[in-house]
Amino acid sequence: MSENGGDDRKSDDEKEDVSVSLPLIEIVTKEQPEKLSNGTNGVLSTDSANIAKADSGNLRNRGSTSTAMASDSRRTDGSQNPSGVVMTTGVQRQGRLKSSVFSEDVPESSCETIGIKMSTFNCESDSDDEEEVTLMYAQHERVPMKDFHSEVRATLDIEQFLSQPVLLLDVGENILEEVIDKLLNKTLTFLDEPQSITTEAKSSLFTHDSVHSLSKTIQGVSTGQGFDYDQSWICALCTCPSLRRRHVAIARLKHPANFGRTSQEVYFVILVVAPTREKGTKNALETGRTFATIFADMDFRHALMEARTEEEFHKILTDHTKVLAEEQSHPRKRLLSGDHIGFDEETEMVDGCRFAGGLRDDFWRRLPHYVNDFKDGIFGHKTPQKLISTTLFLYFACILPAIAFGVLNSKNTHGAIDVKKVILSQSFGGLFFAMVGGQPLIILLTTAPLALYIKIIYSVAVDFDLDFYSVYACVGLWNSFFLVIYSFTGASRLMKWSTRSTEEIFALFIAIAFCVDALKELGNSFNKYYATPACDCTTLSCLTNLTAENNSTTTSDELCHRENSLLYMILQFGTVWLGLTLFNFTKSPFLDANKREMLADYALPVAVITMSFVGSYLFSAIEMASFRYNTDNMLVLAPIQSLTPAAIAGCAVLGFPLSLLFFMDQNISSALVNSPLNKLKKGPAYHLDLFVVALLNLVLSIFGLPWVHAALPHSPLHVRALADVEERVDQGHVQTIIVRVRETRLTAIFSHILIGLSILMVPIPLQYIPQAVLYGLFLYIAFTSVDGNQLFERILLLITEQAAYPPNHYVRRVPQRKMHTFTFVQLFQLATLCAFGFAPLAYLKMVFPILILFLLPVRHKLVPKIIPGKFLEALDRSH
């Protein structure tokens, strides 16, 4: 069973039921382990009745070591084969083959295939740098978690460690042997054991003399998204005949270290040494199970990372032991799971069809956490830093789209809704939702679909000679009426049919919409300044004639200003480049981890301020276009009473599709925020959030302010900005895992206070931000939002070499053809959304909200007829 063998994309029937691996044989050398030339890990699957043959084309003087859940890797220097396996290997070289077991030389003609029984061999050649090749026996075994409630020995193991703690904090060494040496030396010195045991222990710990690989280890394995090693910790086991009693030592590294293929981001090393003759419940494996169960909890490890003293470390360990015993005493509580409540669980909680039952449940679920929503933004390790950086991120991520959509709405409504009104709506709406909303991590924003819908309403008002503010307010009131009905009747529970596929199609559509808007404005700039008739004139006479023909009508815009378009392009793409470079700085080897994280947190503000300085000061000689605004009173009550009953009924027809757009956008954004992958603890509030949004937009409609609802990708990006993460490396692919999220209201409150104060900064200094930077922000948000989008990842696989596929769970469990078929099905749905969403006909866009809702029956009725259910489970599991 090769872990990364020739076909990693086998079906579930072939792979997923294997829980305990067979004895394995690995071919290794005395140099740094690497992969074999045929792309495998040098692991040959064997059992007691078969002979494994290594083809001569696959054997080189390189190899790799293998570690699994509980692994036992030993060098077989002529010792007895524990599983009775006979292995034949083929080596084709020039020269002669000498066996380390037999003294006689083997003729060259016999060098094709040599049978050996768990021994070592050498090949002599004419070169002096020939390497010795040995065999490595590795056994992988699944071990259960320790039950701290029913197994008394688990708590006793922790108490014994705390009575004689051997703990090293912030170890600077990052080489495996050096870390083990420090642990062994402190253990033997502190516990008064003879130092001669060090050599004995190291011989038991390591598999090889020169290439130090741990022989017996325990690691956590995640099976929710496939078979992924938890590489942030490793537990090493060894037994020593001369040892008097067992000992446990723990080291926390200052920087993550790379200890091998399945241990590339190690922060914690747990060393368990025990006598050879020890009671079964107190041997090295059982003791290792105790500490491995503790360290398998991601929240616990994160708390240990924040511990500053040994006393604090011990307290966290003691408290978590009690919590773990309490959790395991209740069968319904799943070990190491969060408090996520999905639509399915929520449906079970609501008895029948109680009127407003879901709304009441949301209110009482979130009410006990209301005070903590403020505290969690102040107290905690790195929390003040995250509070400031996230506040600035939200400010720039909201104010700049608000200005851009204000410019768009002003153009569509001829100034009826301008930049100032959008900023006021954003500030008031964000503050209102942050104070009384159920899930404070959701960010409200006016969006491109809403801007298009406002354009439709303006066109209707003009066509029927109606007052725009009256029609706008009436449509908004009908929209709020329908949303209140949805929240009171628990319509959000219908979103339990919304799978990851539907959510990611919509999220990718929003990213495409941001890109289309940004590139469209870039094209308009080139049409306006670069492709004018004046730029086609190359002679003085041509320019003279052109000026004479347009003597009374020619403006500065009609002259040739190609430098404006070029600067527009530089600023737009420069904002994207600088922002993405800083955002991905955590993946670089430069500086230290804290500085890289800080640069990533402030990526957006730094990019915007830097490129605004470049455009407004370094290139001040080039006149760039700035946004326009009205100086009229922003708060005017809409004269709804002027509408006729027929007009009010027509507004209801416009309000219903708008309510569907709000319903889908709000709930899809909420589902992405409350994803189990984000490990939120306080629970969702789908019905309560929808009700709050209904009340909020009712007020905005009356005063003619633009509507707002939960926005993508701002809401998931807000969660990511407040999160602490771990990075796991597998075959060169980096996977980011969220450890915990600071669920606070303060970031949204502070950022929207700043947005409200920004009204005072119109026109100066906000007009110093070029429009190119505004739309560069659109591209930045679009590119960062696709991080973790599996649909986008599978689209890239269509043009990726098969050998370079990442080790994702769907790559391992789904045949390649089925995986690409599912991707094409999603692409067809995405293309349909784009066709209606970007259609030039304004009234056609009214169908768009209904089309989004139609994705749900397509996924559950049509897609299963194309893709078998067992593959859909891997490709489209909830999260």
Side-chain angles (χ1 to χ4, degrees):
M1 181 182 65
S2 174
E3 289 182 9
N4 298 307
D7 187 6
D8 286 336
R9 287 162 295 282
K10 294 182 179 180
S11 65
D12 296 351
D13 297 335
E14 297 175 66
K15 295 188 66 175
E16 65 179 355
D17 293 332
V18 179
S19 58
V20 180
S21 57
L22 297 174
L24 304 178
I25 296 178
E26 298 184 359
I27 302 175
V28 302
T29 68
K30 288 189 176 181
E31 288 192 347
Q32 182 64 29
E34 299 179 15
K35 291 183 179 181
L36 295 183
S37 58
N38 64 344
T40 68
N41 288 333
V43 182
L44 303 179
S45 177
T46 66
D47 56 34
S48 59
N50 296 329
I51 295 177
K53 295 185 178 181
D55 187 76
S56 60
N58 293 335
L59 181 61
R60 292 187 179 178
N61 292 333
R62 300 184 294 174
S64 68
T65 59
S66 177
T67 310
M69 295 169 281
S71 67
D72 180 4
S73 304
R74 298 189 296 272
R75 179 180 177 181
T76 58
D77 296 323
S79 59
Q80 186 177 0
N81 180 4
S83 59
V85 178
V86 178
M87 177 179 177
T88 63
T89 62
V91 181
Q92 185 64 51
R93 293 181 182 166
Q94 294 181 356
R96 304 173 63 83
L97 178 71
K98 178 182 290 186
S99 171
S100 61
V101 178
F102 306 103
S103 59
E104 66 270 21
D105 291 344
V106 182
E108 182 175 350
S109 59
S110 303
C111 214
E112 180 66 24
T113 303
I114 305 297
I116 57 177
K117 185 174 182 178
M118 300 302 292
S119 61
T120 63
F121 60 87
N122 289 323
C123 285
E124 292 184 345
S125 67
D126 296 335
S127 61
D128 297 332
D129 59 348
E130 194 61 49
E131 302 169 352
E132 179 185 358
V133 180
T134 64
L135 298 182
M136 192 71 66
Y137 169 80
Q139 180 177 351
H140 295 196
E141 182 180 358
R142 176 183 177 183
V143 294
M145 292 281 193
K146 210 66 170 286
D147 191 337
F148 278 71
H149 174 67
S150 60
E151 298 184 56
V152 181
R153 175 55 57 187
T155 304
L156 295 179
D157 289 342
I158 301 297
E159 292 176 352
Q160 179 181 349
F161 170 77
L162 293 175
S163 64
Q164 294 180 320
V166 179
L167 179 63
L168 298 175
L169 298 181
D170 298 329
V171 177
E173 288 77 1
N174 57 3
I175 299 177
L176 178 60
E177 184 180 10
E178 295 178 357
V179 175
I180 294 297
D181 283 341
K182 291 196 68 171
L183 286 173
L184 283 175
N185 291 335
K186 184 170 183 178
T187 300
L188 300 179
T189 302
F190 180 76
L191 301 175
D192 194 24
E193 293 280 0
Q195 291 293 329
S196 59
I197 298 180
T198 301
T199 304
E200 184 180 341
K202 291 177 66 175
S203 177
S204 174
L205 276 169
F206 296 114
T207 61
H208 207 279
D209 297 334
S210 59
V211 181
H212 288 92
S213 175
L214 295 173
S215 60
K216 297 180 181 179
T217 61
I218 300 179
Q219 281 186 273
V221 176
S222 173
T223 57
Q225 294 286 347
F227 189 82
D228 300 318
Y229 285 95
D230 185 349
Q231 304 191 37
S232 61
W233 63 276
I234 189 169
C235 180
L237 314 176
C238 80
T239 56
C240 300
S242 305
L243 202 64
R244 291 183 296 227
R245 55 179 300 179
R246 60 180 180 148
H247 304 294
V248 178
I250 300 175
R252 186 184 71 185
L253 307 186
K254 188 174 183 180
H255 303 290
N258 185 347
F259 291 159
R261 184 173 55 84
T262 61
S263 310
Q264 301 184 37
E265 287 283 327
V266 176
Y267 276 100
F268 293 96
V269 178
I270 305 102
L271 175 63
V272 179
V273 291
T276 303
R277 296 182 179 180
E278 184 62 276
K279 185 179 178 181
T281 58
K282 299 169 63 176
N283 60 23
L285 178 60
E286 290 301 313
T287 306
R289 278 182 57 212
T290 299
F291 286 88
T293 301
I294 286 280
F295 275 84
D297 190 336
M298 189 179 298
D299 292 333
F300 169 71
R301 294 198 307 272
H302 186 269
L304 291 184
M305 289 296 298
E306 298 178 358
R308 299 179 180 179
T309 62
E310 292 190 10
E311 291 74 16
E312 188 176 351
F313 193 100
H314 298 160
K315 184 178 183 303
I316 295 173
L317 182 59
T318 303
D319 294 342
H320 186 71
T321 302
K322 298 177 181 178
V323 171
L324 196 57
E326 176 66 20
E327 286 182 353
Q328 292 177 332
S329 64
H330 301 284
R332 292 180 60 88
K333 288 188 177 182
R334 292 177 298 177
L335 179 64
L336 309 177
S337 63
D339 298 329
H340 173 75
I341 300 178
F343 285 110
D344 294 333
E345 293 85 350
E346 187 177 310
T347 304
E348 296 175 0
M349 294 172 59
V350 179
D351 299 331
C353 297
R354 289 189 297 124
F355 182 72
L359 187 62
R360 290 199 295 266
D361 288 340
D362 287 347
F363 177 79
W364 292 113
R365 184 188 307 121
R366 294 293 310 192
L367 184 61
H369 302 292
Y370 190 78
V371 176
N372 287 332
D373 287 343
F374 293 90
K375 292 182 179 180
D376 291 345
I378 301 175
F379 305 104
H381 182 62
K382 291 184 178 181
T383 297
Q385 172 188 332
K386 286 287 186 180
L387 175 67
I388 297 174
S389 63
T390 305
T391 298
L392 292 177
F393 163 77
L394 282 182
Y395 171 73
F396 284 99
C398 293
I399 187 65
L400 298 184
I403 295 174
F405 287 127
V407 173
L408 180 61
N409 283 320
S410 180
K411 184 189 304 182
N412 293 338
T413 62
H414 293 80
I417 297 179
D418 65 341
V419 173
K420 276 192 171 183
K421 286 192 173 183
V422 175
I423 295 177
L424 178 61
S425 172
Q426 180 65 44
S427 177
F428 173 74
L431 277 174
F432 182 80
F433 190 84
M435 293 297 297
V436 303
Q439 177 53 269
L441 299 181
I442 293 175
I443 298 301
L444 305 188
L445 199 71
T446 187
T447 60
L450 289 180
L452 294 175
Y453 216 89
I454 292 174
K455 182 179 180 180
I456 294 174
I457 294 174
Y458 185 84
S459 301
V460 171
V462 171
D463 292 343
F464 291 91
D465 195 21
L466 299 173
D467 180 70
F468 166 71
Y469 289 113
S470 301
V471 177
Y472 178 82
C474 191
V475 173
L477 292 177
W478 278 113
N479 171 58
S480 297
F481 171 73
F482 289 124
L483 291 180
V484 169
I485 292 178
Y486 299 157
S487 61
F488 273 75
T489 57
S492 293
R493 291 197 297 270
L494 295 176
M495 293 300 294
K496 70 180 180 180
W497 303 106
S498 177
T499 62
R500 183 169 192 155
S501 168
T502 306
E503 296 165 5
E504 292 187 340
I505 289 173
F506 184 73
L508 196 54
F509 169 80
I510 297 298
I512 294 174
F514 275 109
C515 293
V516 169
D517 289 339
L519 297 178
K520 184 185 295 184
E521 290 300 320
L522 178 61
N524 293 337
S525 175
F526 271 82
N527 291 332
K528 184 176 182 180
Y529 296 112
Y530 199 92
T532 60
C535 293
D536 296 332
C537 295
T538 58
T539 62
L540 181 60
S541 59
C542 178
L543 292 173
T544 304
N545 295 334
L546 182 65
T547 304
E549 293 175 359
N550 301 279
N551 190 26
S552 60
T553 59
T554 299
T555 63
S556 60
D557 290 344
E558 293 173 334
L559 298 178
C560 184
H561 294 290
R562 286 182 169 174
E563 66 278 4
N564 288 40
S565 299
L566 294 176
L567 180 59
Y568 193 105
M569 182 174 63
I570 291 173
L571 294 179
Q572 187 178 94
F573 290 116
T575 303
V576 179
W577 171 80
L578 182 58
L580 291 180
T581 300
L582 296 178
F583 180 78
N584 293 316
F585 209 79
T586 53
K587 301 176 183 178
S588 71
F590 305 111
L591 304 179
D592 57 42
N594 292 330
K595 292 183 177 63
R596 291 196 299 265
E597 184 179 2
M598 181 175 296
L599 286 175
D601 289 340
Y602 292 95
L604 181 58
V606 170
V608 171
I609 294 174
T610 301
M611 300 313 296
S612 297
F613 175 79
V614 170
S616 299
Y617 289 94
L618 298 186
F619 291 91
S620 58
I622 300 177
E623 185 177 352
M624 301 290 293
S626 58
F627 60 85
R628 299 177 181 178
Y629 63 96
N630 295 329
T631 57
D632 301 334
N633 187 7
M634 292 182 291
L635 296 177
V636 178
L637 285 174
I640 304 178
Q641 66 277 5
S642 63
L643 295 177
T644 63
I648 295 176
C651 291
V653 176
L654 290 173
F656 179 69
L658 180 63
S659 68
L660 293 181
L661 178 63
F662 268 77
F663 178 80
M664 293 299 296
D665 274 12
Q666 182 70 34
N667 282 296
I668 289 178
S669 300
S670 298
L672 291 175
V673 167
N674 292 289
S675 166
L677 296 180
N678 293 333
K679 299 180 176 62
L680 303 184
K681 301 296 183 182
K682 300 177 182 179
Y686 297 99
H687 314 285
L688 177 60
D689 290 340
L690 195 62
F691 180 72
V692 172
V693 168
L695 297 181
L696 170 62
N697 283 277
L698 183 147
V699 177
L700 296 178
S701 301
I702 293 175
F703 289 97
L705 298 176
W707 302 307
V708 293
H709 59 60
L712 289 175
H714 295 72
S715 301
L717 290 178
H718 183 208
V719 175
R720 174 65 185 270
L722 287 170
D724 291 321
V725 300
E726 283 185 358
E727 290 185 349
R728 298 178 183 174
V729 183
D730 192 0
Q731 301 180 21
H733 298 273
V734 180
Q735 182 184 10
T736 301
I737 306 296
I738 290 180
V739 177
R740 69 155 181 151
V741 177
R742 298 162 180 84
E743 301 178 55
T744 178
R745 299 178 185 268
L746 293 181
T747 51
I749 292 174
F750 290 158
S751 61
H752 284 90
I753 289 176
L754 293 177
I755 292 173
L757 295 176
S758 298
I759 297 179
L760 304 176
M761 294 188 286
V762 176
I764 296 175
L766 286 184
Q767 280 196 332
Y768 284 117
I769 301 177
Q771 288 190 21
V773 176
L774 299 180
Y775 288 101
L777 169 72
F778 279 25
L779 293 177
Y780 170 84
I781 291 176
F783 292 156
T784 54
S785 68
V786 299
D787 186 24
N789 190 305
Q790 289 186 6
L791 171 58
F792 182 76
E793 293 174 357
R794 282 186 275 107
I795 291 174
L796 295 181
L797 292 184
L798 297 174
I799 56 174
T800 301
E801 182 184 4
Q802 184 174 347
Y805 280 13
N808 294 331
H809 65 283
Y810 51 82
V811 173
R812 293 170 174 171
R813 299 179 58 187
V814 182
Q816 181 177 339
R817 181 174 298 178
K818 294 295 183 182
M819 180 178 63
H820 291 330
T821 301
F822 184 70
T823 303
F824 281 117
V825 170
Q826 287 184 286
L827 282 176
F828 177 78
Q829 299 174 70
L830 178 62
T832 305
L833 283 182
C834 292
F836 282 85
F838 304 135
L841 300 176
Y843 290 99
L844 191 61
K845 294 182 174 65
M846 294 179 60
V847 186
F848 178 75
I850 302 175
L851 198 63
I852 299 175
L853 192 61
F854 189 67
L855 293 178
L856 302 183
V858 168
R859 163 61 182 85
H860 292 279
K861 296 299 181 181
L862 298 181
V863 176
K865 297 181 179 180
I866 304 174
I867 310 295
K870 63 179 180 180
F871 298 141
L872 280 177
E873 173 65 20
L875 288 166
D876 197 23
R877 63 173 69 222
S878 296
H879 286 285

